[in-house]
Every structure is written in C-alpha cells, then in structure tokens.
Amino acid sequence: MTKKLTLPTIAAVLSLSFASNVIGATAEEASKLGGELTPFGAERAGNADGTIPAWDGGYTKVPADYVSGTPRPDFFAGEKPRLSITSANMDQHADKLTDGVKELLKKYPDFRLDVYPTHRTAAAPQWVYDNTKKNATRAKLSEDKQGVEGAYGGIPFPIVKNGYEAIINHRLAWQGQTVEFPMITYVVTRDGNRVLATKAQEFDQRPYYFEDGKLEDFDGYYKRARLLTSAPVSKAGEAILLHEPVDMSKQARGIWQYLVGQRRVRKAPTISYDTPDFVTSGIGLFDEAFMLLGPIDRHELKLVGKQEMYVPYNNNRAANATVDELIGPKFLNPDLVRWELHRVWVVEATLKSDKRHVVPKRKYYIDEDTWQILLQDGWDAQGNIWRLNYALTLLAPDIPVLTGLVNWGTYNLQTGAYFHNAASNEQPRQYAPIERLRQSFFSPGELANLGAR
C-alpha cells in the first residue's frame, strides 16, 4: 500500500505519536482551521489530479418540499460512473483499494466498484465548527490514551497527531444532537439466503453535542442510546440501553439488556470487544458496530498517514432502494452502491502483547472531512484477511450531516456470509432529527417499564 502524506507538517507531528497527553495543536496550527484547512481540519484544496475537488462548505441544500425525517433523495441521481473496477482491472487501481475490498473483488468476479465524481458534501453547523476550533488548542488525550479531556461540542483533534486522536475523533464525530432511525438488520448466509435478523428502532442522543451545553457542565457521557426490537417475533420486546463515556478508563460504560423471556433488565458488560453481536446473528462483533464501538484498549493504534482511496460515499440511492434490489446473495448490488475517491486517514490497530482479541490486526480508513470510519479491514490470528466492514454514508443536508451511523455492515471474507445493518430501505422514516429526550428515557428503570408494557 502506497503511503501518501499530504500535509507538510505531518512528519513533524508524527514524532509526537506516543506523547499521550500533549495538547492537540498549537495556536499557529489551529489558525489554519477555516482557512488552509476546513473547520474540521481536512485539506480544503483539491488534489493535483483534479479528481478530488476543493471543499466549498459541504452540501446544505434542502429540497423545498422535504419533510423532516422522510427519506432524502439521491442528490446526484443524474451522474454516471467515471470508472468501474472489477477483478479484471483491479491491479491498475490497487494503491487506492483496501485489502478487504481487493479480497472481495478476487472472491467474486461479478463484484465491482462503480466510481462516481467526488463530492465533498460533509457539513456541520457553525457552532460545531466554532467548538472544534476551541478544542484544537484545549483538548488533550487522557494519560492512558483511552479518552480525551478538555473537548466539547466539536471534533476534539482537528489537527491530528496520532492514531488514538484519530479514533477518538471518529468516536466524537458530528452526527446531530438527538436522532431516531430504523435499525433493521439483514443477514445473508454463505449459501445466499437472506434473513431478517432484527427489526428495531434506535434513539440516539449525544449530550456532547448539545448546542446550549458547555464543557464545564458536560457529564462525560457523549452518547446515550436505546434500541427496542419489534421483529422477528422471537426477539420482539428485547431492548438494549447504552451509555458511552468519552473516557472509558475513567467512567464506566453503562450497558443494560432487557430479555423478554427473563422479564428483567440486566447489566450486559459482554456487549463489547470481540463478543459476537447477536443483533447481526453473530456475523459481526460488538466493537465493529457503527464501525467502532466501545473500548479501544486492547490494540496499539498507529497513525499510518493519509491516502487517496476509493470509499463508499453519498449513498442515498442505496438507502432508498428496495431490500430485494440492494441486498444480493453474495454482496450488495453494485448498481446501487456509490464509490468516490476521497482522502482518508489510515490507522493501524495491532493487538497488545498482554491482551487477546479474535481480530489481532485491523486497519481503519477515516474520512478526512467527517472523521468517520468508512472502511475497516480485519485479519485473523494466522494473518489472513478476514473481515471487511463498510459504512454507506447517508447525506442529510437538513441537519446538516453526512452520517455513517446507518447502512453499515460486515463481509466475512472467509465464510462468504455478510450482513447489512441499520437499514432504512422500504421504511417511511430515515435518520430523523427529533426533539431532545429526557435523560430518564435512557434509564434502566424506563427499560423495565417498556418490558412491563
């Protein structure tokens, strides 16, 4: 894989990779935000080839007749692919493909990537940009590099200096304040049979991004989420409650589960790390949910650099397709998945010598414009490529956000099974901003009441 370091200062800052509690950026570095760099720290300019345009503020045009929460249109429906990549021509594009994508191309000669013109659509409210600039000079990694101190309401480390900062930027990426979305999971078995594994509704609230909040009042829990299952019948009524802290070495995660058969709420600490994710019938792992969920303390994280890569992007068309159209027997329908060329940060995760995990090596590909993980490769203990995780980002200019919280999944490259999760296909509502929910909505007691009803 060719490494392309594109920021002139990157060599200098990488030398600080293991200085865990160094303040994120100098005042001089932070002064570039909103100028040479975007407000989130990406390169504002396009690339030399002209295949990546300059960032011009993102896509914020809301259709006049759009009703909040309903499916958004494909804003680039009239475009045609500028190239298609298959197993036959993948060698010509190998330096811009992840190992997992290359393995999928090798495995399935009829799989392909349709690459469309690049649109840098990522946008956020001005107050998020303002907070990001404040964070740039006040945020710092915690002593053990598992969390951040001094950050609120924006990207913590827009001038990123190591792999830990990049991953925490993903954890705290802008996704809106309070949202509701379908959490429908389809599993495709190795013999090509599609099964509805889970149909649920997720409520996701991010106190870290309360517009009227401030650093001094933030309680440290950046995300509170509740998932309530309605199908299949065998799972109906099951629920999961999640409280995620910014610094998991200082504050405990809160995870509870309600099981209908037991009729009680139980703490569920096993919903983490490499525990098979029962929502995806075990194909996914819990720390792969939403591309990365929970503690990061079992791997060393190394910032490799920034590269131009083909990644899924602006996938509103896939989100609006029917289930039959999108979810094929071996892979998602290539006609409906949009790939674009973007600059991504590459972070390599290597298992620590005193830890265990079924995926000892991973590579994360993080969008420079949103700080969200778009692709993730995973290797098994024998060093064989095993897993390809993807996020089909949804463009929601009404919030505005480009979110990877929905339409993500995993290919098991060894068994041939895969799943597509947080799907909104054929649903009347999509990733929807809603009024702030009371904190008790996310309490274990409320979860018990749900079960009693």
Side-chain angles (χ1 to χ4, degrees):
M1 182 177 292
T2 303
K3 299 175 183 177
K4 185 178 181 182
L5 307 183
T6 51
L7 287 177
T9 56
I10 195 67
V13 298
L14 282 176
S15 66
L16 301 174
S17 294
F18 299 101
S20 62
N21 57 352
V22 171
I23 294 291
T26 65
E28 181 182 359
E29 289 170 335
S31 69
K32 298 176 182 176
L33 297 172
E36 175 185 342
L37 304 177
T38 74
F40 277 179
E43 293 173 69
R44 181 183 292 271
N47 65 352
D49 296 338
T51 48
I52 297 176
W55 184 81
D56 62 359
Y59 194 99
T60 57
K61 294 180 285 188
V62 183
D65 58 349
Y66 178 70
V67 177
S68 180
T70 58
R72 287 95 176 166
D74 176 4
F75 296 102
F76 310 110
E79 293 185 346
K80 303 293 183 186
R82 65 180 184 85
L83 67 98
S84 291
I85 302 173
T86 67
S87 58
N89 66 353
M90 60 180 285
D91 290 346
Q92 301 172 32
H93 309 282
D95 63 330
K96 294 182 174 61
L97 299 172
T98 75
D99 292 304
V101 171
K102 284 187 277 193
E103 188 66 19
L104 200 62
L105 286 164
K106 291 177 191 172
K107 188 177 183 71
Y108 301 117
D110 50 343
F111 176 70
R112 73 176 193 277
L113 281 65
D114 283 346
V115 180
Y116 289 80
T118 297
H119 294 280
R120 299 180 68 181
T121 51
Q126 184 59 48
W127 59 268
V128 174
Y129 295 149
D130 294 341
N131 284 335
T132 298
K133 194 151 192 172
K134 294 177 184 175
N135 290 342
T137 52
R138 69 183 180 183
K140 64 178 181 179
L141 282 177
S142 57
E143 193 65 32
D144 60 4
K145 299 179 280 189
Q146 303 304 304
V148 56
E149 303 168 2
Y152 181 80
I155 300 299
F157 303 107
I159 314 290
V160 71
K161 297 184 176 180
N162 58 53
Y164 294 88
E165 291 183 352
I167 290 297
I168 290 172
N169 281 353
H170 163 80
R171 180 184 290 171
L172 298 176
W174 164 246
Q175 304 282 3
Q177 298 182 64
T178 304
V179 296
E180 174 188 6
F181 54 92
M183 192 77 175
I184 302 176
T185 313
Y186 295 97
V187 166
V188 181
T189 61
R190 62 188 305 172
D191 53 2
N193 291 316
R194 186 182 68 226
V195 179
L196 172 65
T198 301
K199 182 177 183 180
Q201 199 72 3
E202 170 125 356
F203 297 88
D204 193 312
Q205 182 155 278
R206 301 202 163 216
Y208 177 85
Y209 274 109
F210 285 167
E211 182 178 0
D212 59 354
K214 55 185 178 181
L215 175 62
E216 292 76 14
D217 297 334
F218 177 50
D219 70 358
Y221 284 86
Y222 76 92
K223 171 187 175 100
R224 290 185 171 87
R226 193 174 89 179
L227 180 146
L228 180 61
T229 305
S230 58
V233 174
S234 60
K235 291 184 176 181
E238 291 183 3
I240 297 174
L241 183 65
L242 183 65
H243 295 178
E244 288 280 279
V246 167
D247 192 336
M248 298 183 189
S249 64
K250 293 184 177 177
Q251 290 178 287
R253 299 176 79 205
I255 310 175
W256 298 264
Q257 185 179 13
Y258 177 81
L259 294 174
V260 177
Q262 298 180 3
R263 296 189 175 184
R264 60 187 301 181
V265 175
R266 290 179 177 273
K267 287 190 174 181
T270 58
I271 296 180
S272 62
Y273 297 115
D274 53 1
T275 302
D277 180 356
F278 51 75
V279 176
T280 66
S281 299
I283 297 177
L285 309 175
F286 272 115
D287 65 1
E288 294 174 332
F290 307 100
M291 303 303 282
L292 180 59
L293 182 70
I296 54 174
D297 60 322
R298 293 191 178 178
H299 294 81
E300 295 286 356
L301 301 177
K302 175 186 176 184
L303 186 64
V304 177
K306 196 192 283 188
Q307 295 180 224
E308 294 179 5
M309 303 287 285
Y310 295 121
V311 291
Y313 220 90
N314 294 317
N315 267 292
N316 290 28
R317 181 168 46 163
N320 295 337
T322 67
V323 175
D324 284 344
E325 289 172 337
L326 179 64
I327 304 175
K330 295 179 290 187
F331 41 77
L332 298 178
N333 184 350
D335 292 342
L336 299 171
V337 178
R338 183 185 179 99
W339 296 76
E340 297 182 6
L341 183 67
H342 283 263
R343 288 182 292 237
V344 296
W345 289 102
V346 182
V347 174
E348 187 171 282
T350 305
L351 187 65
K352 295 177 178 176
S353 59
D354 60 340
K355 302 290 185 182
R356 64 155 301 280
H357 195 289
V358 297
V359 189
K361 178 183 173 183
R362 285 171 167 160
K363 279 189 179 179
Y364 300 101
Y365 300 87
I366 304 174
D367 179 26
E368 70 164 344
D369 285 334
T370 65
W371 291 103
Q372 294 175 79
I373 298 169
L374 302 178
L375 291 172
Q376 178 194 147
D377 291 340
W379 284 261
D380 65 15
Q382 288 71 48
N384 301 311
I385 186 74
W386 178 20
R387 319 178 69 78
L388 165 60
N389 303 306
Y390 65 86
L392 305 185
T393 48
L394 176 77
L395 176 57
D398 50 299
I399 295 178
V401 73
L402 181 78
T403 180
L405 281 185
V406 294
N407 303 313
W408 48 268
T410 295
Y411 289 100
N412 185 321
L413 298 167
Q414 296 180 3
T415 69
Y418 80 99
F419 71 83
H420 187 63
N421 203 353
S424 59
N425 306 82
E426 303 179 27
Q427 302 302 305
R429 284 175 65 78
Q430 211 176 49
Y431 195 80
I434 59 175
E435 293 293 321
R436 185 181 306 176
L437 297 163
R438 65 192 188 288
Q439 188 152 318
S440 60
F441 181 88
F442 298 98
S443 69
E446 185 81 1
L447 206 64
N449 291 336
L450 276 178
R453 289 197 289 270

